[in-house]
Amino acid sequence: MKYYVELIIINKDSVRDPEGETIQKYVIEKYTNNIIETRVGKYIQFKIEANNEEDAKNLIEKIANEGRLYNPIIHKILVRVRRE
């Protein structure tokens, strides 16, 4: 089966996000005070073939970890899978 797998890389909650802070201060706050925090990250989308959603997710997690697509000391990853 074919899947789209999204890999989202963002700073951990305990790590400052200067880019997100800048967007919050100079863009968001011009329009509303209802948004409490803005964080910025990286988004990578993969289209892959796998036997099931779990295999698709595991493959992308392996690539992210072993391929050093992020720094696990300061980043966290979110992996979302959907069928084509």
Side-chain angles (χ1 to χ4, degrees):
M1 300 186 131
K2 292 182 183 174
Y3 296 93
Y4 287 105
V5 183
E6 300 168 323
L7 175 65
I8 302 165
I9 304 166
I10 58 174
N11 286 346
K12 289 182 177 179
D13 295 336
S14 61
V15 176
R16 277 192 63 226
D17 183 351
E19 191 173 359
E21 292 169 5
T22 300
I23 292 170
Q24 177 78 22
K25 183 174 182 178
Y26 295 106
V27 178
I28 303 301
E29 290 178 2
K30 287 183 179 181
Y31 299 98
T32 182
N33 290 327
N34 294 338
I35 297 174
I36 298 166
E37 182 180 41
T38 302
R39 300 195 58 91
V40 175
K42 297 176 188 172
Y43 173 89
I44 305 170
Q45 182 182 41
F46 302 90
K47 184 177 178 182
I48 69 172
E49 285 196 22
N51 293 327
N52 54 53
E53 288 186 20
E54 175 110 8
D55 287 349
K57 181 179 179 185
N58 290 339
L59 176 59
I60 297 308
E61 286 177 343
K62 179 179 180 176
I63 290 169
N65 288 314
E66 293 178 12
R68 298 180 181 237
L69 294 181
Y70 73 105
N71 180 345
I73 295 170
I74 62 170
H75 298 127
K76 64 181 177 181
I77 61 171
L78 305 168
V79 180
R80 298 190 298 214
V81 181
R82 64 181 171 87
R83 288 180 71 180
E84 181 182 44

